[in-house]
Amino acid sequence: MKKIVIIGAGSWGTALGLVLASKDYDVTLWEHNKERAEEVQNSRENKRYLPGIKLPYNMHITSESEDLLNGVKYVIFSVPSQSLREVISRFSPQITEDMILVNTAKGIEVSTGMTLSEVMKDEIKGKYHKNIVVLCGPTHAEEVSIGLPTTIVAAGLKEKAMEIQELFNSKNFRVYMNEDIIGVEIGAAVKNCLAIGAGIADGMGYGDNTKAALITRGIAEMTRFGKALGADERTFSGLTGIGDLIVTCASKHSRNRHVGECLGKGQKIDEILSEMTMVAEGVPTVKAVHNAAKKLNISMPIVEAIYNIIYKNANAKDMVEALMGRELKVEFY
C-alpha cells in the first residue's frame, strides 16, 4: 500500500486525501493544531472545513511532525500560499531525494514575489528541485469530496508529473499533464485576483455581460503577465487558465468571489476576512501581482483596480471603470 502524507488538513488537503484514500492508499493528513487533529481523528469528520463528509479507515490525522515523512514517497503540501515557506522549512530536514513534492496552494509570495515552486526550491536542497510538481486546476473541495467529476493539471518535469498523474487519476478525478510549471502557477495565482473582481461586480448588481467581460479581459491580463515571466501563452487557454478562472469567478464555493461580493456591497476588507474560516488567496496575491506588474511595466488595469479597492480603500466602481473606461485601441481578445 502506497503511503502518502498531506501537509495541511484544510478543505483542499482533506478532499485530496479522500481522492487518494479511495484508491486504497495509506493517507496521513498533518494538522498543525493538536486539538483540531484529535477532534478530526476521533470524529472521522473534518467538521470545520468539510462537514458531513466521513473519512475512510485508511485516512489518518496527526499533529506530530517528527519523523512524519519516514518511508513516504509522495508529500503533498496543501497550506496557504503565504505560509508555505515556513512549512517547507519545517519539514525540509526530512525530505529525501526519492520523494516527489507536490504543491497545491495557489498564489505568489508577497514578501519576495516568488512563485510557490520557487519558494519550495529556496527552502530545500538543489538536488531535490527536479522532484517538485504543482497540482492546480478548476476544482472546489466541496465537489471533489463527494466525487463529482473533476479535471486538474499536474505540472513539472515530465517524468515526475506523469507519476503524480498516475497517483491521482481515478474514475471521477482526471489529471492532465503540463511541463509549463510557470504558466500553471501564474494562472492559478492571477485567477484568484480576478475572481475578487467578479465578486465585486456581483455585489454591485452588475450582470452576466459584465462578468463575461471581466473574465475575458482578465485572461488577457493573465496572459501578458505570464508571458513576461516566461510562461507558454497556450497554458492560459487550458484548465489552469480559462478553466480555473471560470469556476472561481462563477461558483458559490469561491472564497475569492465571496470576498469581492462583500466589497461590492460596501463591506471593508478587514471585516470580511474576520468572518471567514478559510483563506481567500487572492487578497495577498493581488498585492504580489500588482507589485510585479508595476516592476515589469505590464498593463493590468483590472488587477490594479482590485488592488486599490482592497489596499487603498478605493471605490468599488473603480474596477468596472478600469474595464470600461480604458483608452480604446485595436485588440484581438
Side-chain angles (χ1 to χ4, degrees), residues 58-196:
N58 55 331
M59 199 167 166
H60 320 285
I61 299 84
T62 184
S63 61
E64 298 296 324
S65 57
E66 187 175 353
D67 298 327
L68 180 65
L69 306 187
N70 279 0
V72 174
K73 182 172 184 181
Y74 304 101
V75 184
I76 299 159
F77 293 89
S78 187
V79 299
S81 60
Q82 307 307 314
S83 302
L84 182 62
R85 181 179 295 277
E86 178 186 353
V87 174
I88 290 287
S89 176
R90 177 172 185 167
F91 286 97
S92 61
Q94 299 184 43
I95 293 173
T96 59
E97 196 166 2
D98 61 338
M99 290 178 181
I100 296 184
L101 311 173
V102 182
N103 174 54
T104 70
K106 301 176 180 181
I108 295 174
E109 189 175 54
V110 175
S111 60
T112 64
M114 290 180 172
T115 65
L116 300 185
S117 65
E118 290 173 334
V119 170
M120 295 177 77
K121 289 176 180 178
D122 211 29
E123 293 295 331
I124 63 176
K125 296 178 181 178
K127 62 182 178 181
Y128 305 151
H129 291 183
K130 66 182 184 298
N131 296 340
I132 294 172
V133 174
V134 172
L135 191 68
C136 290
T139 53
H140 284 303
E142 296 85 351
E143 296 186 3
V144 170
S145 66
I146 59 174
L148 296 184
T150 298
T151 55
I152 198 167
V153 173
L157 293 179
K158 186 175 182 180
E159 178 187 348
K160 306 301 180 181
M162 286 179 67
E163 195 165 345
I164 295 306
Q165 181 184 49
E166 182 180 350
L167 182 75
F168 277 96
N169 257 342
S170 65
K171 180 181 177 181
N172 291 321
F173 196 84
R174 176 155 188 179
V175 184
Y176 289 81
M177 194 186 70
N178 192 331
E179 294 183 84
D180 180 20
I181 193 168
I182 296 174
V184 167
E185 288 191 292
I186 294 301
V190 176
K191 63 92 184 180
N192 280 332
C193 308
L194 297 170
I196 295 175

